[in-house]
Amino acid sequence: MKTQRIVEILKSGVVDSDLTVQGWVRTKRGNKNVAFIALNDGSCAANIQIVVDLAKIPEETLKSVTTGACLRVDGRLVASPASGQRVEVQAAAIEVYGTADPETYPLQKKGHSLEFLRDIAYLRPRTNTFGAVLRIRHAMAYAIHEYFNKNGFYYFHTPIITASDCEGAGAMFQVTTLDMNRPPRTEDGAIDYTEDFFGKPCNLTVSGQLEGELGALALGRIYTFGPTFRAENSNTPRHASEFWMIEPEAAFFDLEDNMELAEDFLKYLIRYALDNCMEDLEFMNKMWDPGLLERLRFVVENDFKRLDYTEGIEILKASGRKFEFPCDWGCDLQSEHERYLVEEHFKRPVILINYPKDIKAFYMKQNDDGRTVRGMDVLFPGIGEIIGGSEREADYGKLHARVRELGMNERELWWYLDTRRWGSAPHSGFGLGFDRLLIFVTGLTNIRDVQPFPRTPQHADF
Ligand code: 4AD
Ligand code: MG
């Protein structure tokens, strides 16, 4: 490749050689003899310094070198006499690919609030912060595949369009090609879905788990990693309508194995970030969260606390804390409860298991006590739930009874129930919210700031 990226030039570019760099102008400063341009091409957080002898470059060209403009610079790489950089480029020629009018380009030099940047999400990848976040996001996605590949899990593609509702929460986006103004009707006036594209009501997936289980019961260990959709009207910093989820599913794993996997997996990913994204993590630590690096190291180095939901409730009740939502045995834990356990009581990530069956999904393995299931949530500092999972109910009779008890659509689930009729096996799995992991790893606090183009209620711009 003729073109070198700035990350490589800064690290290993040969001094006193000719080269070409291309990128976007971050700043330009100087005096009447020389100009200094800080150029960034997105390959790393650092800029490369371009030194321009004003006698050599036409004034017209230099005038259009403003913050945001895109340039090609041909020149010579030299050792930098100034501190702060190993090398710099002496420009011999500059071509301006695209100008950026200083009157209208929104990303001028001053620091911008994350809220402001959300309104211009189409440009924010060009900021230092989003450059760092998006590079870390990429590294985490890569590490996920690496981890599973090393551990014998196959990447399994589950459908995005589906007729089933895995979580039974009903918060689904419908997919239809019917004319919303004049939908076909059956004789009794209901919408006639036999006329719809798939011949029945369909929605965007809320989880690939049910199909993932089919994969695990054939390939042994699989994982999914794909977009997931929830139409819940939750305006919180941790909920998005479109997010990415990683769902490993493994045959012959019980709840213990599942916990082991979840902890090992999370630690692997965070360690990967520490080993491979240090420049960007240091930037985030400096700019947004001075405790970030310490917290990441702490999670990698310490065991997660494992405990029963029932014990968790006892701790919360004994805490003397006034929660916005009081909780008793049987209640679904709110983020404030989860964070109390993690941040104040145990001061480390917590894996909570054996939840009341009434607050968990139909597929979880039923415990002998008749009131709890082998569910498991991993709770993280600053976030609350980052993983939800369980050992699955492998017994046909028990699963079928639960589906009935909950009044679920048995006919839509026939294929899932069938897996328990032929060659059923103990198996377990979980879902990790990729974007919540990113919140944790970047030290930011809002899911809208770790996704390139967030979708939340009333927001689907760009
Ligand atoms: O706990 P959830 O709903 O579990 C499932 O969907 C299971 N089927 C997973 C499984 O066992 N295979 O979701 C799993 C994780 C949550 O812990 C959270 O991290 C994330 O997905 N998540 C969301 N992330 C962002 N925005 C939302 N609206 C989310 N809903 C869930
Ligand atoms: Mg959950």
Side-chain angles (χ1 to χ4, degrees):
M1 256 181 283
K2 203 169 93 250
T3 327
Q4 278 180 286
R5 296 186 314 145
I6 290 170
V7 64
E8 285 121 27
I9 298 170
L10 289 175
K11 217 185 297 163
S12 52
V14 179
V15 169
D16 294 326
S17 63
D18 290 334
L19 84 174
T20 299
V21 287
Q22 305 174 92
W24 291 267
V25 176
R26 283 295 160 78
T27 58
K28 183 178 77 175
R29 63 191 172 82
N31 54 41
K32 57 187 190 324
N33 301 318
V34 58
F36 299 98
I37 303 167
L39 203 66
N40 188 286
D41 68 356
S43 62
C44 60
N47 306 318
I48 197 160
Q49 171 151 285
I50 313 290
V51 186
V52 186
D53 179 347
L54 299 195
K56 285 191 190 155
I57 303 290
E59 197 185 330
E60 263 322 284
T61 306
L62 216 55
K63 241 199 222 151
S64 52
V65 174
T66 56
T67 296
C70 186
L71 312 182
R72 168 191 167 117
V73 179
D74 296 300
R76 204 165 174 74
L77 191 70
V78 297
S80 175
S83 67
Q85 65 255 336
R86 182 181 75 92
V87 288
E88 60 189 29
V89 176
Q90 280 173 350
I94 293 179
E95 181 187 345
V96 179
Y97 287 142
T99 56
D101 175 14
E103 297 297 317
T104 53
Y105 184 59
L107 288 174
Q108 296 304 324
K109 198 180 155 191
K110 62 177 187 314
H112 301 288
S113 72
L114 292 169
E115 289 77 11
F116 170 75
L117 292 175
R118 268 174 226 156
D119 292 337
I120 52 161
Y122 69 115
L123 292 175
R124 65 183 182 172
R126 293 193 193 179
T127 63
N128 290 334
T129 294
F130 283 85
V133 168
L134 295 174
R135 281 186 295 271
I136 295 170
R137 194 175 164 101
H138 160 79
M140 291 294 87
Y142 178 81
I144 284 161
H145 290 298
E146 187 179 87
Y147 178 85
F148 286 125
N149 190 51
K150 279 185 184 169
N151 287 283
F153 286 74
Y154 299 109
Y155 188 21
F156 189 70
H157 290 125
T158 52
I160 305 245
I161 299 174
T162 162
S164 58
D165 175 8
C166 173
E167 291 306 297
M172 300 185 295
F173 290 100
Q174 194 173 350
V175 176
T176 178
T177 53
L178 294 179
D179 178 353
M180 299 305 278
N181 293 310
R182 292 178 335 127
R185 303 269 175 192
T186 58
E187 269 169 21
D188 57 5
I191 291 177
D192 184 2
Y193 282 105
T194 61
E195 300 266 320
D196 202 351
F197 192 89
F198 296 106
K200 58 183 174 183
C202 281
N203 51 271
L204 296 177
T205 186
V206 296
S207 160
Q209 178 195 324
L210 301 188
E211 292 91 350
E213 286 185 48
L214 310 191
L217 294 174
L219 296 167
R221 297 179 185 183
I222 63 92
Y223 68 105
T224 72
F225 183 10
T228 309
F229 306 87
R230 303 224 175 149
E232 51 201 353
N233 200 0
S234 317
N235 262 304
T236 83
R238 291 170 306 279
H239 287 87
S241 315
E242 176 176 328
F243 60 99
W244 282 61
M245 184 151 58
I246 303 105
E247 296 183 274
E249 192 72 34
F252 320 122
F253 270 40
D254 62 13
L255 189 61
E256 268 316 300
D257 300 320
N258 210 27
M259 285 194 275
E260 211 58 59
L261 177 69
E263 182 167 346
D264 190 56
F265 178 48
L266 284 167
K267 285 179 170 171
Y268 183 90
L269 298 178
I270 295 164
R271 202 176 300 118
Y272 188 92
L274 287 167
D275 290 345
N276 294 278
C277 307
M278 200 35 116
E279 187 190 19
D280 288 322
L281 289 178
E282 275 171 348
F283 175 84
M284 298 307 290
N285 193 81
K286 188 172 91 202
M287 295 299 294
W288 301 106
D289 178 3
L292 175 63
L293 288 172
E294 198 187 331
R295 194 170 336 108
L296 296 180
R297 290 197 183 105
F298 181 87
V299 167
V300 169
E301 285 161 13
N302 289 279
D303 289 341
F304 295 5
K305 174 72 191 172
R306 302 176 183 189
L307 87 158
D308 266 36
Y309 167 92
T310 301
E311 291 171 69
I313 292 292
E314 278 158 17
I315 292 168
L316 290 168
K317 285 169 70 175
S319 71
R321 179 60 73 90
K322 267 241 163 308
F323 293 110
E324 190 188 339
F325 298 92
C327 69
D328 229 318
W329 199 94
C331 84
D332 206 354
L333 294 188
Q334 303 291 323
S335 180
E336 55 173 341
H337 307 129
E338 297 173 338
R339 292 180 60 177
Y340 175 83
L341 292 174
V342 171
E343 291 163 28
E344 297 183 46
H345 191 83
F346 292 109
K347 298 192 165 51
R348 62 181 60 213
V350 170
I351 309 182
L352 214 53
I353 56 172
N354 294 325
Y355 281 81
K357 68 173 194 225
D358 291 333
I359 59 170
K360 288 293 184 190
F362 74 99
Y363 50 70
M364 295 193 183
K365 184 176 170 66
Q366 298 163 30
N367 279 321
D368 293 338
D369 63 11
R371 52 180 215 153
T372 62
V373 287
R374 297 184 79 69
M376 131 191 146
D377 279 5
V378 180
L379 315 178
F380 254 40
I383 293 177
E385 179 190 338
I386 195 164
I387 277 181
S390 73
E391 183 169 346
R392 316 308 187 187
E393 183 53 76
D395 180 272
Y396 179 82
K398 285 185 183 165
L399 184 64
H400 188 241
R402 189 68 182 141
V403 164
R404 283 228 162 136
E405 200 176 10
L406 292 169
M408 296 177 67
N409 189 341
E410 241 177 274
R411 268 180 317 173
E412 278 307 333
L413 278 174
W414 63 271
W415 51 275
Y416 181 72
L417 291 164
D418 265 4
T419 56
R420 274 61 168 177
R421 290 175 58 204
W422 302 306
S424 186
H427 63 289
S428 300
F430 60 78
L432 166 66
F434 185 55
D435 312 278
R436 290 196 187 171
L437 172 73
L438 261 295
I439 294 176
F440 184 74
V441 175
T442 59
L444 295 177
T445 53
N446 197 310
I447 199 161
R448 292 164 183 77
D449 299 328
V450 297
Q451 300 185 311
F453 303 103
R455 267 83 183 97
T456 53
Q458 300 296 316
H459 291 280
D461 293 335
F462 316 117

